[in-house]
Amino acid sequence: MEEQIEKLEQIAQAEPYKIIISKPANAQVAYRKIVIEKKESYYQAASYTEKQVFHQNIPTDELSSYLGETVMECYLQVNAWDDAKEHILLCSKKGKVSYKTKSVAKDAAKKATEHNRKKQYLIEEGTAVPPLVDMGIFTAEGRVVKSMYDKFRQINRFLEIIDDGVKDYPKQELNIIDFGCGKSYLTFVLYYYFTEIKKRTVHIVGLDLKADVIRNCNAAAEKYGYENLYFEIGDINGYQADFPVDMVVTLHACDTATDYALFNAIQWNAKMIFSVPCCQHELNQQVDTENFSLLTRYGIIKERFSALATDAIRGNLLEYCGYKTQLLEFIDFAHTPKNILIRVVQKGGAASTKGVRVIVPSSAKRKYLEEVERMMEEFHFNPTLYRLLSDVGIIKK
């Protein structure tokens, strides 16, 4: 064990630009692999489960302790690359430690680093993107404003999630609705991504209740020459789409507005949904339990539990309706803890009847629904999405 700690410290002191921690020691280890990359002034760890990835920033001077706490007794292999060498640390299940290094060409390491950094960004620095210039994220020459690197990375993180969701979607032309678009920063970026990067035809409608916001957004779309991007005054609750909807986007729709957006998407048989919920107050006001009162005793715990329960229920109900659902970590623009993005893609080959997917086996549907209803009973929840789906007969009682 001491030898393993010593070698991990040696790896950290080499200031590697990339580390991969792999081969979990047993089935109880939470993540199948962890990829650590050096950023400008810190390291970022991406921890992968089978379906999700979680990010954590690590101060440079804490890398050694992070490796020790993470690797010991949990992982059997560590590979790390610095400018000159690859470090390989192996540990058998019986505790035998093997450590070696391989020389790599310095120029090759530098090129690999640059390649990895470029691969992260769908919108690369040096590209003149008019909305990003007007947002103050890019200079007129397409360089990232130094103080805006966080937002630049956040925008690319959002696009990466979208990109992964649409990569297998067969239609070249998409109709998209953005509920509660606000000033539409990401709506403009989304239009740019589809038309300029993916070379796909999109028609995007942005909806918001504020007339001045809609007026300004339409003026900006005209200025950029975005002919198929337009904005309307509209309420998430009750909006009628007179065209087939491929994708619904809802970013920071407050409280139950997210539920109405998800409900509309289900009703329209939308093939993809990308939703970042915000301000989940509904269940926080309802929660009441005798068996798990420790979850409601402390205000901050009650608030976070209610928010997580809200999104877990939404996820199950979407699975019940025939969607493959993932809850992903998303770096929020406001830097709040509410950074979950719900990515929803209709399951392949799904037939539809009045917008309801029928591919889900009855046993799976029953499990998804029973899990929700047990939670509702235990905590006295009455979630809006469940109620909406019940009212139109999608949930059969």
Side-chain angles (χ1 to χ4, degrees):
M1 183 175 291
E2 289 183 2
E3 183 181 2
Q4 192 176 12
I5 292 174
E6 178 186 339
K7 298 305 181 186
L8 289 170
E9 289 178 350
Q10 189 172 332
I11 289 173
Q13 290 169 2
E15 298 183 356
Y17 63 81
K18 186 173 184 177
I19 305 170
I20 298 177
I21 301 170
S22 59
K23 293 190 178 180
N26 54 64
Q28 284 69 50
V29 175
Y31 306 111
R32 59 185 179 86
K33 71 173 181 178
I34 301 173
V35 178
I36 304 170
E37 293 187 319
K38 186 171 178 57
K39 303 297 182 180
E40 293 179 9
S41 58
Y42 61 92
Y43 284 89
Q44 185 177 79
S47 303
Y48 293 83
T49 67
E50 289 299 326
K51 293 185 177 181
Q52 296 176 278
V53 57
F54 299 90
H55 291 86
Q56 177 184 351
N57 293 338
I58 307 162
T60 301
D61 60 359
E62 294 180 13
L63 178 62
S64 178
S65 59
Y66 174 88
L67 291 175
E69 293 169 2
T70 303
V71 175
M72 299 300 295
E73 299 183 3
C74 292
Y75 293 93
L76 304 179
Q77 182 166 342
V78 178
N79 296 73
W81 293 264
D82 61 29
D83 285 344
K85 293 179 290 189
E86 178 186 359
H87 304 255
I88 304 168
L89 176 62
L90 304 174
C91 184
S92 72
K93 290 189 176 181
K94 294 183 179 180
K96 183 179 178 181
V97 176
S98 168
Y99 173 77
K100 64 180 180 179
T101 61
K102 293 194 305 184
S103 296
V104 295
K106 188 171 182 180
D107 288 345
K110 183 177 179 182
K111 288 177 182 177
T113 306
E114 291 173 351
H115 175 67
N116 286 337
R117 285 175 180 166
K118 286 183 178 179
K119 241 170 56 170
Q120 293 178 27
Y121 302 131
L122 288 167
I123 295 180
E124 296 183 8
E125 185 171 5
T127 307
V129 182
L132 293 180
V133 174
D134 286 350
M135 290 178 212
I137 295 173
F138 277 3
T139 66
E141 295 77 27
R143 288 193 290 270
V144 179
V145 175
K146 187 174 181 181
S147 61
M148 296 299 241
Y149 261 101
D150 280 345
K151 290 198 175 184
F152 171 66
R153 285 190 287 263
Q154 290 160 15
I155 286 169
N156 276 282
R157 170 65 177 154
F158 172 72
L159 292 180
E160 285 169 5
I161 293 172
I162 296 284
D163 189 68
D164 191 55
V166 303
K167 64 183 179 183
D168 297 322
Y169 193 57
K171 286 180 62 176
Q172 186 65 21
E173 186 169 334
L174 290 85
N175 294 321
I176 302 172
I177 293 180
D178 183 356
F179 275 127
C181 60
K183 294 181 179 179
S184 304
Y185 295 148
L186 282 181
T187 318
F188 288 112
V189 174
L190 191 63
Y191 188 91
Y192 177 89
Y193 156 78
F194 275 114
T195 58
E196 299 298 327
I197 297 176
K198 305 302 289 185
K199 305 300 181 185
R200 298 173 83 157
T201 301
V202 290
H203 302 268
I204 301 181
V205 179
L207 295 174
D208 201 90
L209 292 173
K210 297 177 181 177
D212 58 332
V213 168
I214 294 301
R215 184 169 55 253
N216 292 337
C217 288
N218 277 320
E222 184 177 355
K223 169 186 173 183
Y224 302 139
Y226 292 173
E227 296 179 356
N228 294 330
L229 173 60
Y230 50 97
F231 300 87
E232 300 176 8
I233 297 175
D235 192 346
I236 290 175
N237 181 14
Y239 178 79
Q240 299 296 318
D242 57 1
F243 51 86
V245 179
D246 298 287
M247 180 189 300
V248 169
V249 177
T250 167
L251 302 175
H252 306 128
C254 190
D255 201 15
T256 58
T258 293
D259 298 296
Y260 284 101
L262 296 176
F263 174 68
N264 279 345
I266 293 167
Q267 287 282 86
W268 296 330
N269 196 26
K271 304 303 183 290
M272 294 168 283
I273 308 168
F274 298 88
S275 176
V276 179
C278 184
C279 307
Q280 297 99 319
H281 297 309
E282 182 183 44
L283 299 193
N284 189 39
Q285 295 168 348
Q286 297 174 359
V287 61
D288 182 22
T289 174
E290 293 182 4
N291 295 324
F292 300 98
S293 56
L294 81 165
L295 292 173
T296 61
R297 181 172 297 120
Y298 309 102
I300 190 170
I301 300 298
K302 177 184 175 186
E303 179 184 355
R304 292 185 182 178
F305 166 71
S306 299
L308 291 171
T310 299
D311 290 332
I313 288 171
R314 287 166 173 162
N316 258 36
L317 292 177
L318 287 161
E319 291 276 4
Y320 174 86
C321 291
Y323 287 98
K324 179 182 177 182
T325 304
Q326 295 172 291
L327 303 185
L328 305 173
E329 185 178 55
F330 174 65
I331 304 173
D332 192 299
F333 277 90
H335 302 284
T336 74
K338 298 166 184 171
N339 63 345
I340 288 178
L341 186 145
I342 304 173
R343 181 171 67 191
V344 181
V345 179
Q346 193 176 108
K347 293 178 179 177
S352 64
T353 304
K354 295 182 180 178
V356 183
R357 279 131 302 280
V358 296
I359 193 173
V360 182
S362 58
S363 58
K365 286 174 69 94
R366 186 166 58 252
K367 180 182 178 183
Y368 291 131
L369 192 59
E370 286 176 352
E371 288 174 345
V372 169
E373 290 176 338
R374 284 198 298 270
M375 180 167 277
M376 289 170 59
E377 182 179 0
E378 175 60 48
F379 294 98
H380 295 87
F381 289 152
N382 183 24
T384 293
L385 184 57
Y386 180 92
R387 189 171 64 255
L388 292 170
L389 295 173
S390 298
D391 289 345
V392 298
I394 294 177
I395 290 179
K396 309 291 185 182
K397 295 187 178 180

